[in-house]
Amino acid sequence: MKVLAITLIVFLLSILNLLFMDFLLGFDLSESILHLLNPFWVISSAEYVMLAGLFLLVIGQQIYTIVKKRANKQDESN
């Protein structure tokens, strides 16, 4: 029960933090709630590029490790 209470408190504090940041940026309450519901509406193009780069980095790392493991298996079998 304590874990659930702590989780809810952290969740509510994070929501309040996001609302407060939107208020500081000059958004009203309805726009702030919309930003909470769908945060991709407020992402700029530079942030989309960073998101795509991070995604490609993670996928590229997985592909690299798979290729490296296959190459090691090929070397061991020869």
Side-chain angles (χ1 to χ4, degrees):
M1 196 63 159
K2 290 179 186 178
V3 174
L4 180 63
I6 291 171
T7 303
L8 287 175
I9 289 171
V10 169
F11 179 70
L12 290 174
L13 287 175
S14 65
I15 287 176
L16 289 174
N17 185 27
L18 292 172
L19 286 174
F20 183 68
M21 286 191 301
D22 277 350
F23 288 145
L24 289 177
L25 288 171
F27 296 109
D28 58 355
L29 181 62
S30 63
E31 285 180 305
S32 298
I33 291 173
L34 285 176
H35 293 169
L36 285 174
L37 294 175
N38 193 351
F40 291 104
W41 289 342
V42 293
I43 292 180
S44 67
S45 58
E47 290 171 326
Y48 276 123
V49 170
M50 291 298 293
L51 188 63
L54 179 64
F55 180 72
L56 291 174
L57 182 69
V58 169
I59 297 298
Q61 180 185 11
Q62 295 297 320
I63 292 172
Y64 175 75
T65 55
I66 290 170
V67 168
K68 190 172 181 179
K69 284 181 182 178
R70 285 187 183 171
N72 285 341
K73 287 182 182 178
Q74 290 286 334
D75 290 341
E76 289 175 1
S77 65
N78 290 334

